[in-house]
Structure formats: C-alpha cells, structure tokens
Amino acid sequence: MRRQDRTTHEILFFARYLNKVFDCRASSSALTDSRLDPDISPAAVFLAVFHGFAFRLPSFQQLEAELAQPALQQWIGADRAFSDDALRYSLSGFQLEGLEQMLVQVNRTLKRNKALDTGRVQGRIVAALDGIEVLSSYSRCCDSCLQRRVSMRKAGVKVEQVQYYHRAVACQIISSPTNPFLAIEWLQPGEGEDTAALRLLEKLPDLYGSRFFDVLLLDALYAQAPVLKLAERNGWDLVISLKQNQRELYQSAIRLFASRPADDCGSEKNEGKDYQFQLWDSEGLPFSADHPQPVRVVRSEEKLTQNHYRQRKLQPETTEHEWLWITTLDAQAFPAKLVRRLGHDRWKQENNGWNDLTQNWALKHGFLHACRHRPKTGSREGERKPVANRGLAAVSLILLLAFTLCSAFIHCHSKIFRRYSMSTIEVARQLRSSVSKLPPKIRAPDAPAAPLPA
C-alpha cells in the first residue's frame, strides 16, 4: 500500500510530526522530578502518561496494562515495564516549570507556523478564559484543597458535611480549530476564582508576550476594574458578559435601551437552532463609579427555536433570552452582530475545551489527589519528609500538552482526517492499535571471539 493510500493513523508518523515540528523528544529529556537516581527516567514517565492521554486511556491502571507491551516500552525509552506506583511516585514530585515551558514552546511554535491564523475574526486571534471544578471528595483532602459545607440528608436527617474540592482557571485559543490551551492556574485555599484568573492573566504576557492574542472573552464574574486595567495595559480587547454583579452599569444600559427601538436585527441558524434577534448598541457608558472608563454595551433579545421530543413526537419550541455584553472593540470594525457572535463564542471553551476534556480525556478522574506515595527530601531539622504533592498539577499539564499536540496533529497535519469522515476518538484508537504493529527491537548477534595469538 502506498503512503498516500493509508486510511489509518500510525504512531510512527504521529511521533515523527511531534519531534520534527515541536522537538518533543529533546524537550521531554530535560524534565526532572524529585527522585534520586531513578531506574525509570522522568522523560519515560512523561512519555508514558502523554501517550496514555493520546490513546484516551481513562486511568493509570489501564496505562500500566499497556506498558506491558515491549513495543510501547521501547517507544517511550524504558528498559522494562513499570507499574502505576512508579508513575505516582515520579509525578507527585515532578517539576512543573519544565512542563509549563514545554506548553509555552508548543503554542509559540503553533503561532509561528500560522496554525492559529485559521478562524481569525477580523484578523484577530480570540481567546477565552473560564474556570472548572476538577474534583470533589468528602473524605480525601490535601494541603491545597478548597473547602465548603454541603447540606445533605443522612438517615432522613438534614446535616452539613465538609466537602473538599479543587478548581482551576485556564486560558484557551478558541478562534483556531486546534484550540490550544495557553496556561492553567489553580485556586488556592481562601481565594476566589476571580483572584486566580487575574493571577493567570498577569502571567500570560511574561510567558507569551502581550500580543499573542488580540481579543479575550470573559464571563460576568471577571467584569472588574483590575481586569479592564490589565487588558488596556497589554492591548487586549475584551468582550465580557454583563449581569447584575455590575448593577449600576447593568441598570443604566437597560434604561437606555428601553427608551429606543432596536438598532439592528437579524436571524441565524446553527446546529439545528434557529435564532431571531434584535440588537441595541451604545458607547461611552462609564464602567463604574470607582473606574469610570467608558465602555461599549451591546444588548441582544433573542428568540431561540429548536426541536424537542414531547410525547415521542419531535416538536419545535421557542424560548426567549436576553444577553448583554461589555466590550472595548471598535464599533466600525466590530458591529453589534459580530460582538453578539463573539459573546456566544465564549461557550466554545465550555464545549470544545472543558467538556471535551471531561468526557473524552478523563480530566475529572482526580489523578494523584492526596497521594501519600511521594519522594522524600531532607528538612532543616534533619528529618526526611515527603515533598509537596504536585501530582494533580503535573498530570493536568501533561493532559493539556496531549490535548494541544493531538489537536495540532489532527487539524494541521493529518490528510486522512481531512479526507475521511472520522472522529478524534477514532484517531486515538488507531494510534493505540498501531503500537502493537511496531517492528520488534532487533539486536545483531554477538560477534565470535577473535582467536588468541599463537
């Protein structure tokens, strides 16, 4: 079979693309952890977990079973099979800086190779930022856990119980088909999601430069003066949902729009949904009394018609919705219809980012949460204590790397994906099955010993 006639993806060409374009082998060889003189190198651990996510394996136990294959051991550079305990012991003490830098280099390469140019909106690259709860537990906790009290019933009696959970915010490019994640930030005990989001936004210019993307989409929670100041300093335009948390601006906009007819109207059909909308657009409204920066507010009244099954019959149903957005985009280049589209595009991070990672990449599996099997290091008192548990953060970064690189391979390199109708899960299945087809490692027989001189 000729190369151009292949209809399945092979691990050999996947790895060749990653190494040629992103130099993944060299980058992974520089990764370190807290173990001393380990038998299984940090690079082998990283490659094992990376390929586990690329194959869409849901747990370390299943990855341990896959590592019994000599072909996969050879592929990741391990001399032997190793258990999930070795993975846990290494990853719980993994150095996060190397993984973060690797993710930054991958995204910089994508932009340099113009992979982010597809899908630009008026020539702008669009990013979105939002948070997600990764895991929760009533019994297992760690030093970084957040806590809340949850009402529940036990034996018919309503009681409150402490629940431990982890939450993170991340920034993702949503205008490109590859949808790469730029960075992730974890909430610390005692702080809110907006604090972690602001910390992440302050880090992005140092990691990528201030103009890596142009437009940032945000939820109403982040409609705060520090976010507007940071965006203005870095040259980012904003589209933020407006709700009652900014009460003065919200009520001023509602009163202003109620006194005049709609400025524009239109219709749209998207994935079986029929939208009929009216738009109001006004500039120069002060954001708040403490921060009177003039902003533009766009309001959309929408009628959404979609089919639902009712009594086993498919019937159209119409619901009404109202949306308001704050934006700093210029009205000439971005009319109200385009601002409305961007406002709804924020859900792409929910659908193509967090939901995809949750349903198909085992994001909420809770890898290494409260893991006690960790390397030990010496303290000032002379005692050896376990290192701080970085396992959940390390696995999450490897997951984002696998998500970004697999997406780049599928959308930027794979002709098979473009030619044939298949899902990304099918691509992962093909890559996994191709490991067993790798040729065995062949070693030349030992040369015969040279005869002794007479």
Side-chain angles (χ1 to χ4, degrees):
M1 183 182 290
R2 294 179 300 173
R3 180 176 179 179
Q4 60 268 27
D5 293 334
R6 291 193 181 97
T7 57
T8 60
H9 296 85
E10 298 180 11
I11 190 69
L12 178 64
F13 301 105
F14 176 60
R16 185 176 296 172
Y17 168 73
L18 299 187
N19 294 327
K20 180 179 180 181
V21 178
F22 303 100
D23 202 14
C24 284
R25 285 280 179 179
S27 299
S28 61
S29 63
L31 299 174
T32 60
D33 59 24
S34 299
R35 296 174 299 163
L36 299 177
D37 194 21
D39 293 334
I40 306 299
S41 67
V45 171
F46 166 79
L47 291 173
V49 178
F50 176 86
H51 283 88
F53 284 130
F55 301 157
R56 309 296 179 92
L57 302 182
S59 67
F60 282 170
Q61 284 76 17
Q62 194 164 351
L63 177 56
E64 179 183 355
E66 294 288 322
L67 289 172
Q69 299 184 60
L72 186 56
Q73 298 167 24
Q74 175 188 346
W75 194 254
I76 66 174
D79 297 331
R80 57 175 176 82
F82 52 94
S83 67
D84 64 328
D85 282 339
L87 294 173
R88 295 173 182 276
Y89 195 66
S90 171
L91 291 167
S92 60
F94 227 75
Q95 299 299 326
L96 303 180
E97 293 78 9
L99 295 173
E100 291 174 347
Q101 191 59 35
M102 193 173 178
L103 181 62
V104 170
Q105 292 302 327
V106 165
N107 288 320
R108 284 179 173 174
T109 302
L110 285 173
K111 186 172 184 182
R112 185 168 60 247
N113 293 346
K114 302 186 183 303
L116 305 184
D117 287 356
T118 305
R120 282 177 179 256
V121 181
Q122 299 290 76
R124 313 283 185 91
I125 295 177
V126 182
L129 184 144
D130 203 358
I132 187 174
E133 184 174 310
V134 177
L135 61 91
S136 61
S137 173
Y138 289 105
S139 57
R140 296 177 63 84
C141 67
C142 65
D143 295 338
S144 300
C145 273
L146 309 176
Q147 298 184 22
R148 62 189 171 203
R149 303 191 71 86
V150 178
S151 297
M152 56 191 309
R153 287 189 174 274
K154 286 187 176 181
V157 180
K158 187 176 181 180
V159 297
E160 284 193 349
Q161 188 169 349
V162 176
Q163 187 180 52
Y164 308 98
Y165 67 102
H166 281 265
R167 191 170 182 86
V169 293
C171 187
Q172 181 186 17
I173 301 294
I174 63 167
S175 56
S176 165
T178 56
N179 293 327
F181 277 88
L182 302 183
I184 186 171
E185 186 72 24
W186 295 89
L187 274 69
Q188 301 301 319
E191 69 179 13
E193 184 177 312
D194 53 343
T195 304
L198 188 60
R199 187 167 62 246
L200 175 60
L201 291 176
E202 290 173 343
K203 286 171 52 177
L204 288 177
D206 296 331
L207 296 175
Y208 294 98
S210 60
R211 299 311 299 267
F212 192 83
F213 57 85
D214 306 291
V215 182
L216 182 62
L217 312 182
L218 297 170
D219 192 13
L221 175 65
Y222 312 115
Q224 301 180 14
V227 175
L228 267 67
K229 293 177 182 177
L230 180 62
E232 184 179 12
R233 186 165 66 247
N234 291 318
W236 301 331
D237 282 307
L238 298 174
V239 178
I240 311 176
S241 297
L242 176 59
K243 297 181 181 178
Q244 294 280 4
N245 59 327
Q246 283 293 333
R247 190 171 183 82
E248 294 181 3
L249 178 58
Y250 181 88
Q251 292 182 341
S252 297
I254 290 295
R255 287 194 298 266
L256 177 63
F257 295 142
S259 63
R260 70 172 198 250
D263 300 317
D264 200 355
C265 62
S267 62
E268 179 183 75
K269 290 186 178 180
N270 185 18
E271 298 180 353
K273 299 178 180 180
D274 187 3
Y275 295 89
Q276 302 288 332
F277 55 85
Q278 292 183 311
L279 298 172
W280 288 261
D281 190 356
S282 184
E283 296 184 274
L285 295 176
F287 178 73
S288 66
D290 298 332
H291 184 68
Q293 174 184 345
V295 294
R296 178 184 171 199
V297 178
V298 174
R299 178 192 180 208
S300 175
E301 283 189 358
E302 305 182 4
K303 292 183 178 180
L304 169 60
T305 304
Q306 55 184 334
N307 293 326
H308 292 282
Y309 277 98
R310 295 292 181 264
Q311 297 180 350
R312 299 183 179 181
K313 293 182 180 180
L314 196 62
Q315 299 178 354
E317 291 188 359
T318 300
T319 55
E320 297 185 357
H321 305 270
E322 181 189 53
W323 298 90
L324 284 91
W325 297 281
I326 307 166
T327 182
T328 59
L329 291 167
D330 179 64
Q332 296 294 326
F334 289 85
K337 286 184 179 179
L338 198 50
V339 173
R340 172 192 170 272
R341 173 189 153 191
L342 287 172
H344 287 312
D345 280 351
R346 189 182 64 82
W347 292 103
K348 287 184 177 180
Q349 185 181 22
E350 185 72 23
N351 298 326
N352 302 333
W354 292 133
N355 281 350
D356 190 11
L357 290 174
T358 299
Q359 297 175 12
N360 303 315
W361 296 81
L363 171 66
K364 294 192 175 183
H365 181 72
F367 293 95
L368 304 181
H369 177 228
C371 179
R372 298 179 181 178
H373 185 55
R374 308 197 298 268
K376 294 184 178 180
T377 183
S379 63
R380 295 180 179 179
E381 295 80 11
E383 299 179 358
R384 293 185 61 81
K385 295 182 178 180
V387 299
N389 184 12
R390 298 185 288 269
L392 179 62
V395 176
S396 299
L397 282 170
I398 298 174
L399 173 57
L400 297 187
L401 275 165
F403 176 89
T404 300
L405 288 172
C406 289
S407 180
F409 171 72
I410 290 171
H411 293 285
C412 302
H413 182 72
S414 173
K415 295 180 181 179
I416 300 173
F417 183 81
R418 293 193 294 269
R419 183 178 300 177
Y420 302 98
S421 177
M422 66 176 64
S423 66
T424 57
I425 297 178
E426 172 62 17
V427 175
R429 188 199 65 79
Q430 293 177 1
L431 291 175
R432 181 184 177 187
S433 63
S434 68
V435 174
S436 60
K437 302 176 184 178
L438 290 174
K441 185 176 182 181
I442 300 176
R443 181 174 65 87
D446 294 334
L452 296 174

